[in-house]
Amino acid sequence: MEPVKVGIVGVAGFAESHLKSIKTCEEEGVTQLVAAVIRNPETRQVKQEQEQILRSRGVRIYRTFDEMLDAEKQTMEVVAVPGGINTHEPLSTRALRAGYHVMCEKPV
């Protein structure tokens, strides 16, 4: 079975927990992180560090959500949305309408 291809919106804050879980699933061969949105990496050291780590693993980095959704149509199957509560509904809805499955924190 091929691993499920995952993209994530953000890499800081609670997204770090998602990244850890995705990495565990990668080690088990069930997922592969293929893309991440990192907005404004210059604003936080953790974002810069995560970007370097992810790029070294072959993860494609995008600066906007729409850019990732458009570019990954042929590869990505699931979008993880670990952002702030106010972003859950609009980001999840956009990903679903674009044909992706969504992992979202509560509340949606």
Side-chain angles (χ1 to χ4, degrees):
M1 180 168 81
E2 288 291 314
V4 175
K5 307 294 193 283
V6 179
I8 191 167
V9 183
V11 296
F14 198 69
E16 292 178 75
S17 177
H18 278 248
L19 288 168
K20 183 178 176 183
S21 295
I22 291 167
K23 181 100 170 103
T24 298
C25 291
E26 283 181 316
E27 291 166 359
E28 296 176 9
V30 296
T31 63
Q32 179 184 1
L33 184 64
V34 296
V37 176
I38 304 177
R39 294 180 333 164
N40 308 315
E42 66 281 354
T43 62
R44 293 184 57 194
Q45 184 69 28
V46 69
K47 289 182 179 184
Q48 294 168 12
E49 292 168 359
Q50 280 287 14
E51 182 167 346
Q52 290 176 348
I53 291 167
L54 294 175
R55 282 188 188 278
S56 74
R57 293 175 41 206
V59 176
R60 292 175 291 281
I61 305 298
Y62 298 95
R63 297 294 179 230
T64 71
F65 185 59
D66 289 326
E67 181 183 19
M68 181 179 74
L69 292 181
D70 290 341
E72 297 294 334
K73 282 190 185 279
Q74 302 304 312
T75 55
M76 193 170 66
E77 301 164 86
V78 176
V79 177
V81 181
I85 290 172
N86 63 323
T87 68
H88 292 179
E89 182 275 325
L91 294 179
S92 295
T93 300
R94 283 167 43 203
L96 289 166
R97 285 189 175 141
Y100 295 99
H101 299 277
V102 174
M103 290 187 298
C104 183
E105 297 303 311
K106 60 182 183 193
V108 101

